[in-house]
Amino acid sequence: LTPTAIVKGVTAARIDRDEPVRQRSLRTHNLGLVLRHVAASPGPVSRADVAGATGLTKATVSTLVDELLGGGLLVEVAPPPRTGAGRPAVGLRVAAQGPAGLGLEVNVDYLAAAVLDLTGARRQHTLRRGDQRGRSPEAVLDDLAELAGDTVRAAADDGLRVVGAAVAVPGLIADGVVRLAPNLDWRDVPLAAALTDRSARVGVALDEQTLTVDNEANLAALAELHASAQPRPSFLYISGEIGAGIVLEGRLLRGARGYGGELGHVTIRPDGVPCRCGARGCLEAYANQDVLLRGAGLDPSAPADALTRLIALARAGAHPALLTLEDVGSALGVAAADVVNLLDLDTVVLGGIYAPLARWLIAPVAREITERTMTSDWAPVTVRASALGTSATVVGAAGSVVRAIRDAPAPWLPLLAG
Ligand SMILES: [Zn+2]
């Protein structure tokens, strides 16, 4: 056997064991291919352009485009004025009016909702402040459904039809159930089922396809990933709840069972203070919002006002504020250095409440990483604020719905036809 024959034999064997590509999955795949190509194009593209770029026949492209037009996912744009010989082609672009994605966020200090249209533009964003700690999950979800309903109606007035939702929660999530959210004091809350029951109030038919629940840091990291100009970025995103979204070469690392990224419970002092999780010396106990605000002499019960005051104090050079920012930055840096040592990430992104404080946090975070990573001399790490600021999570949640539709439009088309 020649080497080529061996390789061919292996390939053939693999194909035999795999599922054959059926007509239906071919259509599903190609619908996504066409929609993604139009979405990625800077301007309107013709059917012939799509055929040329994807390798599909013009007839196939026309059939697929008709389906996408029928679902309102694409729109036709009038051709440019005739300049030369031949008839100018009708252009296609992703619909800015029509199907849209809803993002929802349950945070310790607020509930938030956002709507992105299919082009990824932010069309709605509402934040309702209020301490969610100690409230029953049912009461929180009633409020969340009401906020979602208001946002969906506002989006409808703006010409959008919300067809799916994603909810961000600061906790461990599996199959739509919040296993544990220590800062909310939630355990085994069937969030997807509870919100599905509230579909009428939300104004969207929620089910297993149209509703997902995910960890807040993962959704924020995905938003950061898709906002990145780099093709395959690697970074550690730190959320305000001290969750980590770890992106390695353009892919989010969720962990083997989906529970990865608990940066807040990385040990930074083995004999340190007790943590809510039951362990001692976790990062969270040295760097969370309460620690930060109390350290600066501020009242953490009104965190939004306190955060504004903290920024004012830091700008004025008040020593307690600067010292606590230095301590919190140092604690974040110690934990981030471990992650950098393990995964060789080149960037650390400060998100959530840390984003508006980045001016004071970047130096201590970067210092600890430089001192504690072996590679810092020739592979330095960039520490920066999130490009999306404090809204990264809810925008990321809405964006995950939009990407789900754009990546695999086929299962959404029957919903859109109704
Ligand atoms: Zn802990």
Side-chain angles (χ1 to χ4, degrees):
L1 283 173
T2 63
T4 317
I6 294 169
V7 170
K8 274 182 182 164
V10 169
T11 311
R14 280 197 189 137
I15 288 170
D16 285 343
R17 279 200 299 275
D18 278 347
E19 278 283 294
V21 174
R22 296 182 200 287
Q23 210 55 42
R24 238 178 67 146
S25 51
L26 208 61
R27 170 187 161 269
T28 300
H29 173 84
N30 290 340
L31 278 168
L33 187 66
V34 170
L35 183 55
R36 284 194 301 278
H37 177 74
V38 177
S41 304
V45 288
S46 69
R47 286 166 173 78
D49 293 337
V50 177
T54 59
L56 296 167
T57 66
K58 281 183 192 172
T60 305
V61 168
S62 272
T63 309
L64 298 169
V65 164
D66 285 346
E67 281 199 66
L68 296 168
L69 287 168
L73 299 172
L74 291 181
V75 289
E76 289 184 315
V77 195
R82 191 171 168 162
T83 50
R87 191 161 50 95
V90 173
L92 298 164
R93 59 174 176 75
V94 169
Q97 297 297 86
L102 172 68
L104 298 170
E105 180 182 3
V106 180
N107 185 283
V108 171
D109 300 314
Y110 63 81
L111 301 176
V115 172
L116 297 193
D117 66 31
L118 216 53
T119 72
R122 187 195 311 195
R123 301 284 289 270
Q124 298 287 330
H125 183 213
T126 314
L127 191 141
R128 283 185 194 162
R129 296 198 182 281
D131 194 343
Q132 308 301 322
R133 282 171 292 201
R135 300 184 71 207
S136 76
E138 287 72 26
V140 173
L141 294 176
D142 280 342
D143 288 355
L144 189 68
E146 189 195 296
L147 172 64
D150 291 348
T151 308
V152 166
R153 279 188 293 278
D157 292 342
D158 193 22
L160 295 170
R161 178 177 167 200
V162 172
V163 290
V167 192
V169 182
L172 303 173
I173 323 287
D175 300 326
V177 176
V178 181
R179 291 284 173 218
L180 184 66
N183 297 349
L184 291 165
D185 205 13
W186 286 12
R187 189 179 277 272
D188 291 322
V189 175
L191 195 147
L195 214 54
T196 299
D197 290 346
R198 290 164 173 81
S199 284
R201 256 187 280 177
V202 176
V204 180
L206 297 172
D207 59 25
E208 279 183 1
Q209 182 194 332
T210 58
L211 176 65
T212 56
V213 184
D214 203 346
N215 172 272
E216 50 95 34
N218 282 343
L219 288 167
L222 284 171
E224 200 73 34
L225 166 63
H226 291 283
S228 171
Q230 283 175 266
R232 298 200 310 159
S234 295
F235 60 85
L236 165 67
Y237 175 93
I238 305 177
S239 78
E241 306 283 326
I242 324 189
I246 299 167
V247 172
L248 193 60
E249 297 192 302
R251 287 186 56 211
L252 179 70
L253 294 188
R254 291 175 176 275
R257 290 158 300 173
Y259 296 136
E262 287 301 318
L263 187 71
H265 302 283
V266 164
T267 307
I268 61 165
R269 291 180 202 171
D271 303 317
V273 297
C275 174
R276 270 176 282 208
C277 75
R280 280 185 171 274
C282 296
L283 169 62
E284 153 128 12
Y286 297 92
N288 73 19
Q289 179 173 288
D290 280 16
V291 169
L292 185 57
L293 297 175
R294 282 212 177 88
L298 297 163
D299 176 10
S301 66
D305 297 342
L307 188 60
T308 309
R309 289 205 53 208
L310 174 58
I311 292 168
L313 287 170
R315 279 205 181 115
H319 273 276
L322 293 176
L323 277 177
T324 192
L325 283 162
E326 177 75 20
D327 288 348
V328 164
S330 170
L332 290 170
V334 169
D338 285 348
V339 183
V340 169
N341 270 323
L342 285 171
L343 297 171
D344 182 30
L345 305 170
D346 58 33
T347 303
V348 172
V349 180
L350 302 175
I353 55 155
Y354 304 117
L357 298 168
R359 190 176 141 190
W360 298 280
L361 294 172
I362 285 173
V365 172
R367 187 191 61 233
E368 295 292 348
I369 293 173
T370 302
E371 283 176 7
R372 292 167 193 276
T373 53
M374 300 200 303
T375 51
S376 57
D377 284 348
W378 64 91
V381 172
T382 303
V383 181
R384 63 168 174 84
S386 161
L388 299 156
T390 49
S391 62
T393 299
V394 74
V395 169
S400 75
V401 179
V402 167
R403 281 191 302 277
I405 299 170
R406 282 176 21 175
D407 286 347
W412 297 87
L413 287 170
L415 301 174
L416 297 167

